[in-house]
Amino acid sequence: MVGYDWAKEMKEFDSTKAGVKGLADAALSEIPKLFIHSPEFLHSNPILKPTDAGDAQLDLPTIDFQGVAEEQGRRQVVVEEIRKAAQEWGFFRIVNHGIPLETMDAMLDATKLFHEQPTEEKKPFYSSDSSRRVKFNSNLPVLENNAACWRDVLSCVFLDDQLDPQDLPSACRKEVQEYVKYMIELREVMAELLSEALGLPSDHLSNIECMKSQALACNYYPKCPQPHKTIGSSKHSDTTFLTLLMQDSIGGLQILHNDEWMDVPAARGALIANIGDLMQIISNDRFISVEHRVVAQSVQRVSVASFFTPSLKAMGKPFEPIKELLSHENPALYREFLFREYCEHYKTKFQGVTSAKPHYKIR
């Protein structure tokens, strides 16, 4: 844009430490240029026209976990459903997962409570320092002239399932601890079921500690006066092994399926599971990691995402396609990598690429 100083606007916005919520509170009629995405970027889809975006609803596979731990016959059915969904969709909905509805509602309410505090209460947590394990920011772009997204996020990183509770904001401390406790339990179940869905012993993924840490993202998407000009979260696939998402009643998640952007309707009490890039790589493409995004809306929305990543010990070791899944007919499709190396490559290319997988593909 002629006469537009991207760096200046970035600095001015960042210095407020108020996040996107601060802009929404100012009751702007137009969003700042920093948040305006090109029409080509917003509608970068070979099938949908801009006027169609969001019209298509997704019949996402729904998997019922009821009885999965007690009934062997039921478990085999669930394993097959996961295998099919992870192979064909990369996403699936989970019901009867064992997390109480009141715990889920409390976590969503606590996310809203934190983000709707006065700016002065949130400022001590505002940071872009990647080494901080609890921080609040707007996940601003790192590449010059990239547009920002209409979202604030409180990130809480549990390395090896550990994080000092006193580091958590008091506004959501109790709820985060309770929710993460249930997420750890569900992760162990998911690790077993995903292992079995790959035809491996049920303890395989647990043994390689590829999901032993968790980054909890408490997302807040304020009301947007011009939702057609920006995005809540840009098109991407996750740099994780597995992600579990809880949406509120508003929804807003879209996934790219068969070259179409499809809405994923909210369903109270359900979780959305999606396969991460790293799971696709170690499964040698048996499971797929799918691009998704979040649309900006004229109403406020919250969600909570649990991103499962390796233990500290496993972060120091290379990952590669699981040898038991390889053969002469099915050779390795990817080279080995370190987890932090993969994430750093993606961050340096953010908004230039939607995934780092091609960088590790064997030519």
Side-chain angles (χ1 to χ4, degrees):
M1 300 176 191
V2 177
Y4 171 54
D5 191 334
W6 178 88
K8 181 173 182 286
E9 188 167 331
M10 273 277 291
K11 185 176 180 180
E12 288 176 351
F13 172 79
D14 200 38
S15 67
T16 68
K17 299 186 177 182
V20 178
K21 177 68 164 54
L23 298 176
D25 288 346
L28 303 175
S29 59
E30 296 183 356
I31 63 175
K33 289 181 180 178
L34 177 63
F35 293 88
I36 296 176
H37 293 255
S38 70
E40 295 77 19
F41 179 84
L42 292 175
H43 306 294
S44 55
N45 188 298
I47 304 298
L48 291 182
K49 300 182 180 69
T51 53
D52 296 328
D55 288 349
Q57 290 242 331
L58 187 65
D59 187 19
L60 195 69
T62 297
I63 302 178
D64 188 344
F65 275 26
Q66 187 72 46
V68 74
E70 301 87 14
E71 304 169 26
Q72 187 57 33
R74 177 65 195 147
R75 187 181 184 93
Q76 290 174 350
V77 170
V78 169
V79 166
E80 177 56 24
E81 289 177 339
I82 289 176
R83 184 200 62 74
K84 193 172 190 298
Q87 190 175 68
E88 298 177 4
W89 291 80
F91 271 78
F92 50 94
R93 186 180 287 111
I94 306 173
V95 297
N96 291 320
H97 39 63
I99 304 175
L101 192 58
E102 55 267 26
T103 299
M104 300 177 74
D105 288 344
M107 186 66 243
L108 289 171
D109 289 344
T111 295
K112 189 169 183 286
L113 180 64
F114 170 82
H115 286 286
E116 293 185 351
Q117 293 179 109
T119 299
E120 290 303 315
E121 296 292 324
K122 296 184 290 185
K123 271 186 177 180
F125 297 97
Y126 191 89
S127 176
S128 57
D129 182 356
S130 60
S131 67
R132 281 191 61 171
R133 291 173 59 184
V134 178
K135 62 179 180 290
F136 150 66
N137 59 37
S138 300
N139 203 22
L140 294 172
V142 294
L143 297 182
E144 189 171 353
N145 295 321
N146 277 351
C149 294
W150 197 260
R151 175 188 66 149
D152 292 331
V153 58
L154 170 68
S155 301
C156 309
V157 178
F158 292 76
L159 291 174
D160 292 346
D161 296 335
Q162 301 299 314
L163 178 62
D164 187 342
Q166 295 308 309
D167 290 342
L168 294 167
S170 59
C172 57
R173 182 178 298 145
K174 176 186 172 185
E175 292 81 4
V176 167
Q177 289 178 273
E178 183 72 4
Y179 187 71
V180 166
K181 179 185 75 175
Y182 281 105
M183 279 288 108
I184 290 170
E185 293 176 1
L186 182 56
R187 175 201 66 200
E188 293 304 307
V189 173
M190 291 295 299
E192 290 185 1
L193 296 173
L194 288 166
S195 294
E196 292 172 31
L198 287 169
L200 300 167
S202 60
D203 61 356
H204 186 95
L205 293 177
S206 180
N207 286 344
I208 65 173
E209 298 185 1
C210 64
M211 298 191 291
K212 184 67 174 172
S213 296
Q214 175 181 177
L216 189 75
C218 304
N219 300 306
Y220 186 89
Y221 302 86
K223 296 178 182 179
C224 183
Q226 294 179 303
H228 60 289
K229 289 189 174 182
T230 189
I231 192 105
S233 183
S234 299
K235 177 175 70 172
H236 67 284
S237 56
D238 291 350
T239 57
T240 63
F241 284 89
L242 177 71
T243 302
L244 293 175
L245 174 73
M246 172 172 58
Q247 298 195 88
D248 67 4
S249 61
I250 303 300
L253 173 67
Q254 295 183 336
I255 75 169
L256 194 60
H257 182 67
N258 292 335
D259 289 326
E260 291 191 49
W261 282 116
M262 310 288 282
D263 288 327
V264 179
R268 187 163 182 251
L271 292 171
I272 304 296
N274 72 275
I275 300 299
D277 287 356
L278 307 182
M279 187 68 78
Q280 176 170 339
I281 291 176
I282 67 169
S283 74
N284 211 41
D285 284 358
R286 291 201 186 189
F287 293 166
I288 59 171
S289 176
V290 173
E291 291 176 1
H292 50 285
R293 66 184 185 183
V294 177
V295 296
Q297 300 180 82
S298 58
V299 292
Q300 170 260 317
R301 170 188 186 258
V302 297
S303 70
V304 178
S306 297
F307 300 106
F308 293 104
T309 57
S311 67
L312 281 169
K313 177 183 174 183
M315 283 183 191
K317 298 179 180 180
F319 286 97
E320 61 185 344
I322 297 168
K323 288 182 169 53
E324 289 85 346
L325 303 180
L326 306 179
S327 66
H328 180 71
E329 294 77 22
N330 295 292
L333 300 175
Y334 300 91
R335 58 187 175 87
E336 68 177 27
F337 63 94
L338 292 172
F339 170 72
R340 285 198 173 98
E341 171 198 353
Y342 187 96
C343 293
E344 284 302 315
H345 178 79
Y346 175 76
K347 281 200 294 189
T348 58
K349 302 290 185 181
F350 183 61
Q351 288 191 344
V353 298
T354 56
S355 169
K357 292 195 302 284
H359 182 69
Y360 294 90
K361 195 94 172 182
I362 295 173
R363 308 295 179 188

